[in-house]
Amino acid sequence: MTRILFLCSLSFVLASCGRFGNADIKEEHRERIVCIAKQYSEIIFALGAEADIVAVDVSSTYPPEIKQLPTVGYHRALSLEGIMAAKPTLILHDNNIGPEHVVRQLEQLKIPMKVFSSGTTIDSTKIMMREMGVYFHKEKEADSLCAKLDRDMSLALDNSKKYKQTVKVLVIHFGQASNVFLVMTKKSTAARMIEWAGGEMAVTDEKGMRQLSAEVVAASDPDVIILTDFGYDRLGTNEKIKELPGVSGTKAAQNNRIYRVEEHDLVYFGPRTGENTLMLQKLIHQDAE
């Protein structure tokens, strides 16, 4: 787990270097909210409640305009100095922040912190969006987001009933390092979206992500490989990815069925989850169209 955390942290830092120098354009704001949860960040912007958000963590990458805000670092590798530089009057987090000593320091400083309900299913995500709507006085906007999510999910699930074949999908997160791939498993959020889209994950495990050797990746022999943006962009083309050990002999590589998907579209639920499931359907069922 420590190694996975290090890889995630390092990858986000490398991908987000340009954001560390962002200027604080809200210096005059009396209310200064630091949001250290990518799921919250997307929902707050979707609600139109972002006016007092002065900084976010580097994994908050949607919508695109959020990248103009200063960052306080990776949510599991925070520093007290980085957070205090944002002069927060409120910190929003989802109980997935660290390290522990920084969390204790924040508690000792008595900076107000707020955690919303957990959104790990579609139903609980809607509950969370409505809770956030009440908190930010955006109740109607929250209702609209929930209604759109319901419509998109209904369409995606109806579409799935039409497919005759289940597509086996391998999701590689952050690409390859030292002949090891960080792979999402059947326990991940991405797995549920792939299943709703009419696919199945190529790898099982008790954890949501697992480091796997090239040999295990090759043995999973997926029909489709999805790479999240950081790993895909490091190589840049399908041809380069198809040369990777473990990937080269798969059906996905042989049939050129390798796709780039933004990380933020796969790793949490939110107002666009139905929309993202429909996007995945188009990718993995291209042969059925």
Side-chain angles (χ1 to χ4, degrees):
M1 182 63 194
T2 301
R3 182 172 169 79
I4 290 176
L5 175 60
F6 173 75
L7 288 171
C8 291
S9 176
L10 178 62
S11 299
F12 270 117
V13 168
L14 291 173
S16 307
C17 283
R19 299 174 65 188
F20 288 124
N22 287 346
D24 181 0
I25 59 174
K26 298 181 180 179
E27 283 186 302
E28 78 285 1
H29 281 224
R30 291 179 59 190
E31 297 296 328
R32 296 181 58 83
I33 302 174
V34 172
C35 186
I36 314 175
K38 51 187 174 290
Q39 185 184 32
Y40 289 4
S41 295
E42 175 168 346
I43 295 170
I44 289 168
F45 273 71
L47 289 170
E50 72 275 17
D52 292 323
I53 302 293
V54 299
V56 295
D57 72 302
V58 294
S59 66
S60 293
T61 54
Y62 191 91
E65 55 265 37
I66 207 168
K67 295 181 181 179
Q68 303 304 312
L69 290 172
T71 74
V72 295
Y74 183 62
H75 62 101
R76 294 291 299 166
L78 298 167
S79 73
L80 183 66
E81 293 77 12
I83 296 172
M84 295 311 294
K87 303 172 187 171
T89 57
L90 173 67
I91 295 172
L92 302 179
H93 71 86
D94 58 2
N95 280 326
N96 185 26
I97 62 173
E100 280 299 321
H101 73 274
V102 172
V103 177
R104 286 197 299 273
Q105 288 172 324
L106 291 172
E107 291 170 347
Q108 289 166 359
L109 289 170
K110 300 189 184 304
I111 298 171
M113 291 192 271
K114 171 73 178 171
V115 178
F116 294 99
S117 300
S118 173
T120 56
T121 66
I122 293 297
D123 285 342
S124 63
T125 297
K126 288 190 294 184
I127 290 171
M128 182 179 65
M129 290 197 295
R130 288 199 165 94
E131 186 181 335
M132 294 174 78
V134 171
Y135 187 81
F136 288 105
H137 307 294
K138 298 283 186 180
E139 292 90 342
K140 288 183 180 178
E141 289 83 353
D143 286 342
S144 295
L145 294 179
C146 291
K148 181 181 184 305
L149 177 56
D150 281 340
R151 288 195 303 273
D152 290 340
M153 284 303 302
S154 178
L155 178 59
L157 295 176
D158 283 346
N159 288 346
S160 289
K161 296 174 185 173
K162 301 173 187 174
Y163 301 125
K164 295 179 181 177
Q165 291 186 326
T166 301
V167 180
K168 189 161 69 169
V169 181
L170 180 71
V171 181
I172 299 175
H173 199 24
F174 299 123
Q176 182 215 33
S178 303
N179 206 33
V180 172
F181 295 88
L182 185 58
V183 173
M184 296 186 191
T185 77
K186 281 190 175 181
K187 286 286 186 179
S188 66
T189 301
R192 277 182 277 177
M193 295 172 67
I194 294 290
E195 288 163 8
W196 292 329
E200 64 175 358
M201 297 298 264
V203 176
T204 62
D205 195 86
E206 293 183 355
K207 296 181 179 178
M209 286 191 289
R210 170 66 77 181
Q211 294 175 65
L212 296 179
S213 67
E215 290 76 16
V216 176
V217 167
S220 71
D221 196 17
D223 302 301
V224 168
I225 293 176
I226 288 173
L227 263 79
T228 53
D229 46 302
F230 179 78
Y232 190 102
D233 294 346
R234 276 200 307 164
L235 292 165
T237 67
N238 274 12
E239 294 309 311
K240 289 290 185 184
I241 294 164
K242 284 157 60 176
E243 294 172 2
L244 293 174
V247 170
S248 57
T250 62
K251 289 195 289 288
Q254 291 166 2
N255 297 321
N256 201 33
R257 300 206 62 195
I258 298 173
Y259 306 108
R260 176 189 186 277
V261 172
E262 294 283 347
E263 180 259 358
H264 53 227
D265 291 343
L266 293 176
V267 296
Y268 59 85
F269 294 145
R272 296 181 306 116
T273 293
E275 191 178 316
N276 291 333
T277 302
L278 290 165
M279 174 271 292
L280 290 171
Q281 262 178 344
K282 287 186 178 179
L283 286 183
I284 71 175
H285 291 290
Q286 285 184 5
D287 288 351
E289 294 181 351

Coordinates of all heavy atoms in Angstrom, one line a residue, residues 195-240:
E195 N -18.7 -2.6 -15.4 CA -19.8 -3.6 -15.4 C -21.1 -3.0 -15.9 O -21.9 -3.6 -16.6 CB -19.9 -4.2 -14.0 CG -18.8 -5.1 -13.7 CD -18.6 -5.4 -12.2 OE1 -19.5 -5.0 -11.4 OE2 -17.6 -6.0 -11.8
W196 N -21.5 -1.8 -15.4 CA -22.7 -1.1 -15.9 C -22.6 -0.8 -17.4 O -23.6 -0.8 -18.1 CB -22.9 0.3 -15.2 CG -23.2 0.1 -13.7 CD1 -23.9 -0.9 -13.1 CD2 -22.8 1.0 -12.7 NE1 -23.9 -0.7 -11.8 CE2 -23.3 0.5 -11.5 CE3 -22.1 2.2 -12.6 CZ2 -23.2 1.2 -10.2 CZ3 -22.0 2.9 -11.4 CH2 -22.5 2.3 -10.2
A197 N -21.4 -0.7 -17.9 CA -21.2 -0.4 -19.3 C -21.3 -1.7 -20.2 O -21.3 -1.6 -21.4 CB -19.9 0.3 -19.6
G198 N -21.4 -2.8 -19.5 CA -21.5 -4.1 -20.2 C -20.1 -4.8 -20.4 O -20.0 -5.6 -21.3
G199 N -19.2 -4.5 -19.5 CA -17.9 -5.2 -19.5 C -17.6 -5.9 -18.2 O -18.5 -5.9 -17.3
E200 N -16.5 -6.5 -18.1 CA -16.0 -7.1 -16.9 C -14.5 -6.8 -16.7 O -13.8 -6.7 -17.7 CB -16.3 -8.6 -16.8 CG -15.5 -9.4 -17.9 CD -15.7 -10.9 -17.7 OE1 -16.4 -11.3 -16.8 OE2 -15.2 -11.7 -18.6
M201 N -14.1 -6.7 -15.5 CA -12.7 -6.5 -15.3 C -11.8 -7.7 -15.5 O -12.2 -8.8 -15.2 CB -12.4 -5.9 -13.8 CG -13.1 -4.6 -13.6 SD -12.6 -3.3 -14.6 CE -11.4 -2.5 -13.5
A202 N -10.6 -7.5 -16.0 CA -9.8 -8.6 -16.3 C -9.0 -9.2 -15.1 O -8.5 -10.3 -15.1 CB -8.7 -8.2 -17.4
V203 N -9.0 -8.4 -14.0 CA -8.2 -8.8 -12.9 C -9.1 -8.7 -11.6 O -9.8 -7.7 -11.4 CB -7.0 -7.8 -12.7 CG1 -6.2 -8.1 -11.4 CG2 -6.1 -7.9 -13.9
T204 N -9.0 -9.7 -10.8 CA -9.7 -9.7 -9.5 C -8.6 -9.6 -8.4 O -7.5 -10.0 -8.5 CB -10.4 -11.1 -9.3 OG1 -9.5 -12.1 -9.2 CG2 -11.4 -11.3 -10.4
D205 N -9.1 -9.0 -7.3 CA -8.2 -8.8 -6.1 C -9.1 -8.3 -5.0 O -10.2 -7.7 -5.2 CB -7.1 -7.9 -6.4 CG -6.0 -8.0 -5.3 OD1 -5.1 -8.9 -5.5 OD2 -6.0 -7.2 -4.4
E206 N -8.6 -8.4 -3.8 CA -9.4 -7.9 -2.6 C -9.2 -6.4 -2.5 O -10.0 -5.8 -1.8 CB -8.9 -8.6 -1.3 CG -9.3 -10.1 -1.3 CD -8.9 -10.8 0.0 OE1 -8.3 -10.1 0.8 OE2 -9.2 -11.9 0.2
K207 N -8.2 -5.9 -3.1 CA -8.0 -4.4 -3.1 C -8.4 -3.8 -4.4 O -8.4 -4.4 -5.4 CB -6.5 -4.1 -2.8 CG -6.0 -4.6 -1.4 CD -4.6 -4.2 -1.2 CE -4.1 -4.7 0.2 NZ -2.7 -4.4 0.4
G208 N -8.7 -2.5 -4.3 CA -9.2 -1.8 -5.5 C -8.1 -1.6 -6.6 O -8.4 -1.6 -7.8
M209 N -6.9 -1.5 -6.1 CA -5.8 -1.4 -7.1 C -4.7 -2.4 -6.6 O -4.5 -2.7 -5.5 CB -5.2 0.0 -7.1 CG -6.1 1.0 -7.8 SD -5.3 2.6 -8.1 CE -5.2 3.3 -6.5
R210 N -3.9 -2.9 -7.6 CA -2.9 -3.9 -7.3 C -1.7 -3.7 -8.3 O -1.9 -3.4 -9.5 CB -3.5 -5.3 -7.5 CG -2.5 -6.4 -7.4 CD -1.8 -6.5 -6.1 NE -2.6 -7.1 -5.1 CZ -2.3 -7.3 -3.8 NH1 -1.1 -6.9 -3.4 NH2 -3.1 -7.9 -3.0
Q211 N -0.5 -3.8 -7.8 CA 0.7 -3.7 -8.7 C 0.8 -5.1 -9.2 O 0.9 -6.1 -8.5 CB 1.9 -3.4 -7.9 CG 1.9 -1.9 -7.4 CD 3.1 -1.7 -6.5 OE1 4.2 -1.7 -7.0 NE2 2.8 -1.4 -5.2
L212 N 0.9 -5.2 -10.6 CA 1.0 -6.5 -11.2 C 2.2 -6.6 -12.2 O 2.5 -5.6 -12.8 CB -0.3 -6.9 -12.0 CG -1.6 -7.0 -11.1 CD1 -2.8 -7.3 -12.0 CD2 -1.4 -8.1 -10.1
S213 N 2.8 -7.7 -12.3 CA 3.9 -7.9 -13.2 C 3.4 -8.0 -14.6 O 2.2 -8.2 -14.9 CB 4.6 -9.2 -12.9 OG 3.8 -10.3 -13.2
A214 N 4.3 -7.8 -15.5 CA 4.0 -7.9 -17.0 C 3.4 -9.3 -17.3 O 2.5 -9.4 -18.1 CB 5.2 -7.6 -17.8
E215 N 3.9 -10.3 -16.6 CA 3.5 -11.7 -16.9 C 2.0 -11.8 -16.5 O 1.2 -12.5 -17.2 CB 4.3 -12.7 -16.1 CG 5.8 -12.8 -16.6 CD 6.7 -11.6 -16.2 OE1 6.3 -10.9 -15.3 OE2 7.7 -11.5 -16.8
V216 N 1.6 -11.2 -15.4 CA 0.2 -11.4 -14.9 C -0.7 -10.5 -15.9 O -1.8 -11.0 -16.2 CB 0.0 -10.9 -13.5 CG1 -1.4 -10.9 -13.1 CG2 0.9 -11.8 -12.5
V217 N -0.2 -9.4 -16.3 CA -1.0 -8.6 -17.2 C -1.2 -9.4 -18.5 O -2.3 -9.4 -19.1 CB -0.3 -7.2 -17.5 CG1 -0.9 -6.5 -18.7 CG2 -0.4 -6.3 -16.2
A218 N -0.2 -10.0 -19.0 CA -0.3 -10.8 -20.2 C -1.3 -11.9 -20.1 O -2.1 -12.2 -21.0 CB 1.1 -11.3 -20.6
A219 N -1.2 -12.6 -18.9 CA -2.1 -13.7 -18.7 C -3.6 -13.3 -18.6 O -4.4 -14.1 -18.9 CB -1.7 -14.4 -17.4
S220 N -3.8 -12.1 -18.2 CA -5.2 -11.6 -18.1 C -5.9 -11.5 -19.5 O -7.1 -11.5 -19.6 CB -5.3 -10.3 -17.3 OG -4.8 -9.2 -18.1
D221 N -5.0 -11.3 -20.5 CA -5.4 -11.2 -21.9 C -6.8 -10.5 -22.2 O -7.8 -11.0 -22.6 CB -5.5 -12.6 -22.5 CG -5.6 -12.6 -24.0 OD1 -5.2 -11.6 -24.6 OD2 -6.0 -13.6 -24.6
P222 N -6.8 -9.2 -21.9 CA -8.1 -8.4 -22.0 C -8.4 -8.2 -23.5 O -7.6 -8.2 -24.4 CB -7.7 -7.1 -21.3 CG -6.3 -6.9 -21.5 CD -5.7 -8.3 -21.4
D223 N -9.7 -8.0 -23.7 CA -10.2 -7.5 -25.1 C -9.9 -6.1 -25.3 O -9.7 -5.6 -26.4 CB -11.7 -7.8 -25.2 CG -12.1 -9.2 -25.0 OD1 -11.6 -10.0 -25.7 OD2 -12.9 -9.5 -24.1
V224 N -10.0 -5.3 -24.2 CA -9.8 -3.9 -24.2 C -8.8 -3.4 -23.1 O -8.9 -4.0 -22.0 CB -11.1 -3.1 -24.1 CG1 -10.9 -1.6 -23.8 CG2 -12.0 -3.3 -25.3
I225 N -7.9 -2.5 -23.4 CA -7.1 -1.9 -22.3 C -7.4 -0.4 -22.3 O -7.4 0.2 -23.3 CB -5.6 -2.1 -22.6 CG1 -5.2 -3.6 -22.5 CG2 -4.7 -1.3 -21.6 CD1 -3.8 -4.0 -22.8
I226 N -7.7 0.0 -21.0 CA -7.8 1.4 -20.8 C -6.7 1.9 -19.9 O -6.4 1.3 -18.9 CB -9.2 1.7 -20.1 CG1 -10.4 1.5 -21.0 CG2 -9.2 3.1 -19.5 CD1 -11.7 1.5 -20.3
L227 N -6.0 3.0 -20.4 CA -5.0 3.6 -19.6 C -5.5 5.0 -19.2 O -6.1 5.7 -20.0 CB -3.7 3.8 -20.4 CG -2.6 2.8 -20.3 CD1 -3.0 1.6 -21.1 CD2 -1.3 3.3 -20.6
T228 N -5.3 5.3 -17.9 CA -5.6 6.6 -17.4 C -4.6 7.6 -18.0 O -3.5 7.3 -18.4 CB -5.7 6.7 -15.9 OG1 -4.5 6.2 -15.3 CG2 -6.9 5.9 -15.4
D229 N -5.0 8.9 -18.0 CA -4.3 9.9 -18.8 C -2.8 10.0 -18.5 O -2.0 10.1 -19.5 CB -5.0 11.3 -18.6 CG -5.3 11.6 -17.1 OD1 -6.0 10.8 -16.5 OD2 -4.8 12.6 -16.6
F230 N -2.4 10.0 -17.3 CA -1.0 10.2 -17.0 C -0.1 9.1 -17.6 O 0.9 9.4 -18.3 CB -0.7 10.2 -15.5 CG 0.7 10.4 -15.1 CD1 1.3 11.7 -15.2 CD2 1.5 9.3 -14.7 CE1 2.7 11.8 -14.8 CE2 2.9 9.5 -14.4 CZ 3.4 10.8 -14.5
G231 N -0.5 7.9 -17.5 CA 0.3 6.8 -18.0 C 0.2 6.8 -19.5 O 1.3 6.5 -20.2
Y232 N -0.9 7.1 -20.1 CA -1.1 7.1 -21.6 C -0.2 8.2 -22.1 O 0.6 8.0 -23.1 CB -2.5 7.3 -22.0 CG -2.7 7.1 -23.5 CD1 -3.3 5.9 -24.0 CD2 -2.4 8.1 -24.4 CE1 -3.5 5.7 -25.3 CE2 -2.5 7.9 -25.7 CZ -3.1 6.7 -26.2 OH -3.3 6.5 -27.6
D233 N -0.3 9.4 -21.5 CA 0.4 10.6 -22.1 C 1.9 10.4 -22.0 O 2.6 11.1 -22.8 CB -0.1 11.8 -21.4 CG -1.5 12.1 -21.7 OD1 -2.1 11.5 -22.6 OD2 -2.1 12.9 -21.0
R234 N 2.4 9.7 -21.0 CA 3.9 9.5 -21.0 C 4.4 8.8 -22.2 O 5.5 9.0 -22.6 CB 4.2 8.7 -19.7 CG 4.3 9.5 -18.5 CD 5.1 8.8 -17.4 NE 4.6 7.4 -17.2 CZ 5.3 6.5 -16.5 NH1 6.5 6.8 -16.1 NH2 4.8 5.3 -16.3
L235 N 3.6 7.9 -22.8 CA 4.0 7.2 -24.0 C 3.5 7.8 -25.2 O 4.2 7.9 -26.2 CB 3.6 5.7 -23.9 CG 4.3 4.9 -22.8 CD1 3.5 3.6 -22.5 CD2 5.7 4.6 -23.2
G236 N 2.3 8.3 -25.2 CA 1.8 9.2 -26.2 C 1.0 8.6 -27.3 O 0.2 9.2 -28.0
T237 N 1.3 7.3 -27.7 CA 0.6 6.7 -28.8 C 0.3 5.2 -28.5 O 1.0 4.6 -27.7 CB 1.5 6.7 -30.1 OG1 2.6 5.8 -29.9 CG2 1.9 8.1 -30.4
N238 N -0.7 4.7 -29.2 CA -1.0 3.3 -29.0 C 0.1 2.4 -29.4 O 0.4 1.3 -28.8 CB -2.3 2.9 -29.9 CG -3.6 3.2 -29.1 OD1 -3.5 3.9 -28.1 ND2 -4.7 2.7 -29.6
E239 N 0.9 2.8 -30.4 CA 2.0 2.0 -30.9 C 3.0 1.8 -29.8 O 3.6 0.7 -29.6 CB 2.6 2.6 -32.2 CG 1.7 2.6 -33.4 CD 1.0 1.3 -33.6 OE1 1.8 0.3 -33.7 OE2 -0.2 1.2 -33.8
K240 N 3.3 2.9 -29.1 CA 4.3 2.8 -28.0 C 3.8 1.9 -26.9 O 4.5 1.1 -26.3 CB 4.6 4.2 -27.4 CG 5.4 5.0 -28.4 CD 6.9 4.5 -28.5 CE 7.7 5.4 -29.3 NZ 9.1 4.9 -29.5

